[in-house]
Amino acid sequence: MRSALAPGVWFLRAFSRDSWFRGFILLLTFFIYTCYHMSRKPISVVKSRLHQNCSELIKPINDSHSLNDTTWCDWAPFDKNNYKELLGAVDNAFLVAYAIGMFISGIFGERLPLRYYLSAGMLLSGLFTSLFGLGYFWNIHMLWYFVLIQICNGLVQTTGWPSVVTCVGNWFGKGKRGLIMGIWNSHTSVGNILGSLIAGIWVNEQWGLSFVVPGIITAAMGVITFLFLIEYPEDVDCTPPQHHTSDGLEENQHNPEDLGSGPYTNKESSLETPARCSKEPSAQPAAISFLGALRIPGVVEFSLCLLFAKLVSYTFLYWLPLYIFNVAHFNAKQAGDLSTLFDVGGIIDVPV
């Protein structure tokens, strides 16, 4: 009779080499997209600093504005009465570019190495996020500069979502993807929280740092991505995930009859087969076209559901701190910190 395995052996079996690599990829992609959302959030916190009630502030002694100037503390061109429209134009520049770029990014993401694609996207995202904040230090007051930066940032930010989803799909089978994606998808809320908290540190003083610091962190994460991201399990001799087929079997499941008849033969074959399969280069599936994706059952319906969900979430993402600032009369930092409660609720609800 076979003796029971020691607890330590069970632990090692549960956390095999494949599990460690999968856990690493899950954590790395989590941090990657956290940085993407972190770099989007500062604009919502800084809005209340670009246009505020200057009568409640003490004018500096060396200030060159006239005594009757009620907009001396605002940042031109957002110092006029149409500041809401201008701030909305800055937001729309990012979102329209993001929407258009997402069509293109999905095509490139399926045809280019994900490690290079993600690394370049994060480096450029960090660059354009920092350039927005450098407008403060360079004393730039032209609307076209901020709009142009947001357009460029919106385009390069589209490299994130298709790439991280593809990478996670390469490592995890469909059977476990629901629970894993539910927990993993909290990166958006975590990124929003970090972006608000980091931006709030400097928003009342040098608000340019509210963009520069997240930009540097995002660019640094791009370097880490280039050094450590593994696109396929086969690249490190790990067993590829088992995908369920229409007949209820799994793609990587072998016929028991092919493994031999003896018990020792079956045991040896079952141990050797994954190793052999993992080292053989697997044929990559052909990239799907845009019309082909639309024909997949449920894609249009889920897209419409996401449309209305994003309508609400992005309203809170870009305007909640300013709303709290104007209604509750908190300062910019307090409004940004309080707005994070919306994303705290998102973290709690996502795994469910």
Side-chain angles (χ1 to χ4, degrees):
M1 188 176 73
R2 299 176 61 184
S3 60
L5 292 175
V9 177
W10 284 111
F11 178 83
L12 292 175
R13 278 194 172 185
F15 296 94
S16 62
R17 183 175 182 273
D18 288 4
S19 299
W20 280 115
F21 271 103
R22 287 190 170 89
F24 171 74
I25 293 300
L26 196 68
L27 190 63
L28 180 61
T29 52
F30 181 93
F31 287 140
I32 289 173
Y33 207 67
T34 294
C35 289
Y36 271 103
H37 259 261
M38 178 189 63
S39 63
R40 299 178 195 177
K41 199 63 171 68
I43 182 62
S44 66
V45 179
V46 175
K47 280 179 181 177
S48 55
R49 181 66 176 79
L50 300 177
H51 187 95
Q52 54 187 330
N53 187 1
C54 300
S55 61
E56 299 178 353
L57 303 176
I58 300 176
K59 185 180 295 188
I61 299 176
N62 58 350
D63 187 77
S64 59
H65 293 82
S66 64
L67 296 176
N68 297 326
D69 190 356
T70 59
T71 63
W72 63 268
C73 65
D74 297 336
W75 190 267
F78 307 104
D79 56 343
K80 303 296 188 295
N81 291 331
N82 65 338
Y83 73 97
K84 293 181 181 178
E85 288 78 7
L86 297 183
L87 291 174
V90 173
D91 289 342
N92 282 334
F94 176 90
L95 293 174
V96 172
Y98 187 83
I100 296 174
M102 191 61 75
F103 289 97
I104 306 172
S105 180
I107 298 174
F108 284 110
E110 289 188 337
R111 292 165 173 81
L112 297 176
L114 291 182
R115 185 165 65 92
Y116 299 140
Y117 192 57
L118 262 177
S119 301
M122 297 199 74
L123 289 172
L124 291 174
S125 295
L127 172 64
F128 290 120
T129 302
S130 299
L131 285 175
F132 195 104
L134 289 175
Y136 170 84
F137 299 100
W138 294 341
N139 201 27
I140 296 177
H141 298 277
M142 295 171 290
L143 180 65
W144 66 264
Y145 173 83
F146 298 105
V147 170
L148 180 62
I149 293 299
Q150 285 291 79
I151 291 175
C152 296
N153 200 9
L155 290 174
V156 298
Q157 284 263 335
T158 60
T159 59
W161 181 246
S163 300
V164 294
V165 170
T166 301
C167 187
V168 171
N170 292 339
W171 278 87
F172 293 90
K174 296 179 181 178
K176 299 179 181 179
R177 199 176 298 177
L179 175 61
I180 292 171
M181 289 292 290
I183 300 174
W184 175 78
N185 201 44
S186 62
H187 48 41
T188 57
S189 297
V190 174
N192 292 338
I193 293 173
L194 290 177
S196 297
L197 295 178
I198 293 174
I201 296 175
W202 295 282
V203 66
N204 290 324
E205 298 175 1
Q206 297 179 324
W207 60 260
L209 291 175
S210 299
F211 293 90
V212 174
V213 173
I216 293 175
I217 295 174
T218 302
M221 194 65 203
V223 176
I224 294 175
T225 301
F226 178 80
L227 295 175
F228 296 104
L229 184 67
I230 305 169
E231 186 173 349
Y232 295 101
E234 296 88 342
D235 294 340
V236 288
D237 293 336
C238 287
T239 307
Q242 295 177 335
H243 299 284
H244 295 282
T245 57
S246 58
D247 57 358
L249 297 176
E250 297 176 343
E251 292 179 5
N252 298 335
Q253 189 175 22
H254 300 275
N255 191 338
E257 296 179 357
D258 298 335
L259 301 179
S261 57
Y264 297 102
T265 306
N266 286 343
K267 182 178 179 180
E268 294 172 358
S269 300
S270 61
L271 292 174
E272 293 174 359
T273 302
R276 289 196 302 265
C277 293
S278 63
K279 295 180 181 179
E280 294 176 359
S282 59
Q284 303 303 328
I288 191 172
S289 64
F290 175 71
L291 294 179
L294 289 180
R295 287 194 291 266
I296 298 176
V299 167
V300 175
E301 292 84 349
F302 284 116
S303 299
L304 292 175
C305 292
L306 188 60
L307 167 67
F308 293 105
K310 288 292 185 181
L311 178 65
V312 176
S313 64
Y314 271 82
T315 301
F316 281 91
L317 174 68
Y318 282 110
W319 292 98
L320 183 58
L322 183 61
Y323 175 81
I324 296 174
F325 176 84
N326 290 329
V327 175
H329 303 292
F330 292 170
N331 62 38
K333 183 182 186 307
Q334 292 171 338
D337 293 345
L338 186 60
S339 68
T340 60
L341 295 179
F342 174 77
D343 291 293
V344 171
I347 295 176
I348 298 173
D349 184 63
V350 160
V352 178

